[in-house]
Amino acid sequence: MKSLMVLLVAYGCCVWLAPFPYWPTYFKLWQAVLLGRGSGNHPRARVKQAGLLLRYALLHPLWTLLWCLDELMFPAYRSQVIKPIFIIGQPRSGSTLLHRMLAADEKHFLAVRHIEWRLPFISIQKLIRLFGIADWLRKASYWPNTDEGRSAARMHPNNLYDWEEDAIFFEERFLHHYFVLFRFPYLDLLSYLDEFDVISPQARQNILETHRRVIQKMMYLGSAHRLYLSKEVESVTKMRQIAEMYPDATFIMLARRSSSFMNSLLALIASSTFSKTGVNTSQLPGWKERAIAKKQQDGLRLLDFLEHVGEDSQIRISFEELVRNITQTASLIYDRLGLTLSLDDLQRLDHLGREQMTRDRGYEYHKPRFEGFESYDAFVAEVDKDHRLLLSRTSGTAATASSPHRSP
């Protein structure tokens, strides 16, 4: 009995000291698994979900210990100054292409890798580098080795050592992010997991401050003199608070028409959810309609956010022109950021452009129109036009000094 009390006290201390998760969401997920509707008659999916939550609770003391160890052994990481660039927009609009394309220039940019988001501890990352585990992680796919997993991997290649979006951190460590829905496909959770404002102001501040510290840790391990490069296209509701936290941030907005990104996105959501849970979302009543409604709302929120931060803090990029003119588009971005492309960078970008034109997307789809995106698609058309006009004014890879896509 005494041993049990000691264990409970120790566990309580770990909970008190831990920077994550957000416990109300953790218990809400348990409630959905035990009582929720949305996964249909898929008991195996619920067993997987329960297993994930149990593992999270059992490993929680270890994560707390590792976080505290970093604080004790490497306190200098907190002095790192973050100069961020946030890639935003609708998903399936070229954000992964742009993120990894820029991240490959490690002279100028620092991006966080998938395994670093999942294990955001300096001590663990030092061990990974010391023992050469990175070579194995480069070959380890995030997706399961199943038909649906391989299909998702063709749509969104994701190895554990790839540069990845900040969403991985919010999903894996806080369990509060839209991506969590693909492991817990309960329709009642959608609006809750997608909204940041449902969390108390103090908890929101804690989540973003913890996120900031993870970035500082990775800068401490790498170079403190690079621009932090973020990709976050499924956290529109966080953007205003992020902009307040980083008043000098630059936001690169990628724009693609709804008829293209929505079909691609729905295909990826279906493959991702099925590969993780065995749940076919097409059989869940209301699932597709709610997914479309979310993206309609996100489009309006993005337009509102761009008005909020102002033109000087943003660079607007056309998906179509990015794919067709990778090198020239990169030159525009570099020029706006006050950076210079090296000859090696230009050669790498030219090679990437040729690869992109022959890439296997992993799916084929028709392009029906989606209602409710009229304002967003009008914005995309303007960005496309501005991007083409600016490219026509440039020669070779030289960019003009003016901002791409800035309205007259």
Side-chain angles (χ1 to χ4, degrees):
M1 188 66 176
K2 186 176 180 180
S3 298
L4 178 60
M5 287 298 297
V6 170
L7 286 175
L8 289 175
V9 170
Y11 192 87
C13 289
C14 288
V15 171
W16 182 66
L17 292 171
F20 38 71
Y22 180 59
W23 288 108
T25 296
Y26 178 83
F27 291 115
K28 199 172 186 70
L29 293 176
W30 266 119
Q31 183 181 20
V33 171
L34 298 174
L35 305 172
R37 297 173 298 167
S39 284
N41 296 316
H42 292 277
R44 282 183 296 179
R46 293 179 187 251
V47 169
K48 280 186 178 181
Q49 293 157 3
L52 185 153
L53 293 172
L54 285 171
R55 285 195 303 275
Y56 197 100
L58 290 173
L59 290 171
H60 187 75
L62 175 60
W63 306 145
T64 301
L65 176 64
L66 289 169
W67 187 270
C68 293
L69 190 64
D70 282 355
E71 297 296 318
L72 292 172
M73 294 184 64
F74 312 104
Y77 85 83
R78 291 188 296 242
S79 65
Q80 303 298 315
V81 177
I82 302 172
K83 300 176 182 178
I85 300 167
F86 294 95
I87 297 173
I88 61 173
Q90 295 279 21
R92 312 304 294 164
S93 296
S95 55
T96 298
L97 170 64
L98 182 61
H99 184 236
R100 294 179 183 176
M101 178 183 91
L102 296 178
D105 177 3
E106 296 185 274
K107 300 184 302 297
H108 292 119
F109 302 106
L110 180 138
V112 180
R113 299 181 186 275
H114 187 127
I115 194 64
E116 292 169 340
W117 284 130
R118 294 185 77 155
L119 298 173
F121 313 108
I122 295 173
S123 54
I124 293 297
Q125 296 305 322
K126 280 182 173 288
L127 290 174
I128 287 174
R129 299 176 188 198
L130 178 64
F131 291 104
I133 300 173
D135 293 334
W136 176 80
L137 292 171
R138 286 187 176 92
K139 303 173 185 176
S141 177
Y142 164 75
W143 302 106
N145 189 24
T146 61
D147 288 343
E148 286 296 330
R150 287 187 289 272
S151 175
R154 287 193 296 272
M155 286 186 269
H156 180 74
N158 186 355
N159 294 327
L160 296 183
Y161 213 66
D162 280 337
W163 293 292
E164 261 301 342
E165 54 201 304
D166 304 40
I168 302 298
F169 174 68
F170 298 121
E171 175 192 8
E172 295 285 344
R173 297 275 59 92
F174 280 101
L175 300 177
H176 193 99
H177 190 276
Y178 177 65
F179 283 177
V180 176
L181 200 71
F182 305 155
R183 293 187 184 275
F184 295 82
Y186 302 91
L187 202 56
D188 292 344
L189 288 175
L190 192 154
S191 59
Y192 175 79
L193 291 172
D194 188 45
E195 291 288 342
F196 200 46
D197 288 346
V198 299
I199 300 175
S200 70
Q202 182 179 358
R204 292 199 301 269
Q205 184 64 31
N206 175 65
I207 289 173
L208 293 183
E209 181 58 37
T210 306
H211 173 253
R212 185 212 294 265
R213 290 196 177 190
V214 172
I215 299 167
Q216 290 176 311
K217 290 184 181 193
M218 299 312 132
M219 292 180 71
Y220 176 83
L221 285 167
S223 170
H225 303 292
R226 289 181 282 170
L227 298 170
Y228 168 61
L229 184 66
S230 164
K231 171 199 164 189
E232 184 54 287
V233 295
E234 286 289 11
S235 282
V236 182
T237 58
K238 290 187 183 75
M239 281 300 120
R240 284 209 178 208
Q241 194 162 340
I242 284 175
E244 292 171 3
M245 180 172 278
Y246 303 100
D248 297 328
T250 298
F251 296 88
I252 302 179
M253 171 70 191
L254 280 155
R256 188 183 188 187
R257 285 178 172 81
S258 60
S259 59
S260 295
F261 83 75
M262 275 304 303
N263 286 284
S264 177
L265 177 62
L266 292 173
L268 179 58
I269 288 175
S271 288
S272 177
T273 307
F274 191 84
S275 70
K276 295 173 181 178
T277 65
V279 175
N280 184 346
T281 53
S282 67
Q283 297 176 358
L284 300 180
W287 182 273
K288 180 178 179 180
E289 291 76 12
R290 289 288 296 277
I292 294 172
K294 166 185 159 47
K295 300 321 297 176
Q296 290 169 341
Q297 186 177 36
D298 280 356
L300 297 176
R301 284 171 166 168
L302 281 166
L303 298 184
D304 181 66
F305 175 72
L306 293 176
E307 290 291 328
H308 173 71
V309 297
E311 295 175 355
D312 290 340
S313 298
Q314 59 184 274
I315 305 172
R316 300 180 183 180
I317 298 295
S318 159
F319 165 81
E320 301 296 340
E321 298 306 322
L322 168 65
V323 173
R324 282 196 290 257
N325 301 284
I326 282 180
T327 304
Q328 294 88 339
T329 298
S331 294
L332 299 177
I333 294 171
Y334 271 63
D335 183 74
R336 173 66 189 275
L337 295 173
L339 306 175
T340 303
L341 279 164
S342 69
L343 180 59
D344 287 343
D345 289 328
L346 291 170
Q347 292 173 342
R348 172 178 59 84
L349 291 167
D350 286 341
H351 178 71
L352 178 62
R354 290 191 294 272
E355 277 189 341
Q356 186 64 25
M357 298 306 293
T358 59
R359 184 175 75 89
D360 178 13
R361 294 179 304 180
Y363 57 93
E364 294 295 335
Y365 57 83
H366 301 292
K367 293 186 177 181
R369 285 191 51 150
F370 287 83
E371 301 296 328
F373 289 90
E374 291 77 16
S375 296
Y376 189 79
D377 284 341
F379 164 80
V380 174
E382 180 184 344
V383 173
D384 288 345
K385 178 183 175 183
D386 289 347
H387 195 152
R388 285 192 298 269
L389 179 61
L390 189 57
L391 288 175
S392 72
R393 294 175 180 172
T394 63
S395 58
T397 58
T400 68
S402 60
S403 165
H405 319 309
R406 183 172 297 180
S407 300

